[in-house]
Amino acid sequence: MVSISSLLSRWGSPLLICSPHLSRPNLLLLPNNKYATFLLGSSERLVRVSSPIAHAKGGRHVWARNSNRLLRGYCCVEASVVAASDDNYGNKQVISVTPRLYDYLLTNVREPEILRELREETAGMRGSQMQVSPDQAQLLAMLVQILGAEKCIEVGVYTGYSSLAIALVLPESGRLVACERDAVCLEVAKRYYDRAGVSHKVDVKHGLAADVLRYMIQMGEACSYDFAFVDAEKRMYQEYFELLLQLVRVGGLIVIDNVLWHGRVANPLVMDSKTLSIRNFNRCLMEDKRVSISMVPIGDGMTICRKM
C-alpha cells in the first residue's frame, strides 16, 4: 500500500490529474513529464503512464494503463502551490518550489564568480550537500548589509561558501569569526578567502565551536557581535544558540540553518536523534521571549532570530 503523502515526499514536482475514471477523492500523481501513478479507488493499485503527455487547452491529457484497461486522464494544474490544512488560514496558497521553479530562482541569484567557483569545486567533495545554496548565501549577505554588521560569527564553515558570502559584504574593518572542526574543509575555505582578498576579515577557529564561543565570552566579548549564522551539528543547536545569545548584541541576528530538516520535522513517524533535536529546538524557539523569530522556507529552512 502506498500513501499519497509518501509519494509526494519523493517527488519534487507532482501534478494533479483529474480523470473521468476516478472518484472525486482520488488523484493521479505525476512526478515528471513521462510517468504517473493512479491511486484507484480503495485498492490504491499503482498504474504507469503508457504514452507521452499531450498538451490540451487549460492543461494536459495523459494516458495510463492498469491491468484491465487504458485510462485517459486530464492534467489540470502543476502543484507548485500549497495551502494549510487548517481552514482558519483562509485557504491561502503559498509557493511550493518545484525543480523547474527552483532552476528559475537560481537564474535570479547574483552569485559572484569566486562563489561560483567555490560551489563547483565543493560539488565534487564528500558531503557537498552540506553547502548552503546560492539563494541562502545571497539572503545571508543581504541581512548582514541591512544590519550594517561589522562583527559576525559563523558556526560550521565546511568549505566556506556562506562565510565567504558574508566576508565579501563586510566593510574593510569587519571581522568574521569562522568556527570549523574539519581541517581539510577549512583549508579549502582559507584558499578561497585568500583568492577573494578577504582573509584579513576572517578569523578562522579550528576546533569545537562550543569551546571557541565559551572562550570568547570569557574574554569579555559578550554582546559585541552583530550577526551569527549556525550550520553545524544539529544536536548542538540549543547549546550554540545559548552561547551566541550571550555574544550577540540587542538588535543583532542569529540565523539557524536546516530547521525544516528535509521535511522530517513535520513527520511524527521520524524519531531519529537529529530530527528530534531540531524539532525540540524549533519548539523552544517558539516559546523563547528573548528573541523575535521568522522561519523562512529557503534551502532546508532557516530561522532568523532577532535578539530583544
Side-chain angles (χ1 to χ4, degrees), residues 209-275:
D211 293 340
V212 173
L213 299 178
R214 289 192 197 96
Y215 180 74
M216 291 166 64
I217 294 169
Q218 292 170 5
M219 295 302 293
E221 296 188 60
C223 298
S224 65
Y225 286 83
D226 306 298
F227 179 89
F229 177 55
V230 181
D231 183 11
E233 171 55 53
K234 312 313 169 191
R235 287 166 289 203
M236 294 284 290
Y237 267 17
Q238 192 64 49
E239 184 172 354
Y240 293 146
F241 178 75
E242 292 298 334
L243 292 168
L244 290 170
L245 204 56
Q246 296 180 60
L247 287 163
V248 170
R249 64 172 174 82
V250 172
L253 299 182
I254 302 172
V255 181
I256 315 292
D257 197 19
N258 301 115
V259 294
L260 296 180
W261 199 229
H262 315 300
R264 297 188 185 105
V265 289
N267 187 344
L269 299 179
V270 179
M271 300 293 286
D272 64 275
S273 59
K274 288 187 178 182
T275 302

Side-chain angles (χ1 to χ4, degrees), residues 52-114:
I53 300 165
H55 288 268
K57 185 177 180 181
R60 288 179 285 181
H61 289 119
V62 63
W63 292 90
R65 183 184 298 277
N66 67 5
S67 57
N68 300 316
R69 62 184 176 181
L70 185 68
L71 302 176
R72 184 172 186 266
Y74 183 72
C75 169
C76 55
V77 61
E78 183 168 2
S80 58
V81 295
V82 295
S85 58
D86 186 342
D87 290 339
N88 290 321
Y89 286 96
N91 198 34
K92 170 65 178 177
Q93 292 185 330
V94 297
I95 284 291
S96 175
V97 180
T98 63
R100 178 182 297 177
L101 185 55
Y102 188 59
D103 288 342
Y104 175 78
L105 187 155
L106 290 175
T107 65
N108 286 275
V109 173
R110 296 177 180 176
E111 183 182 36
E113 180 67 16
I114 189 69

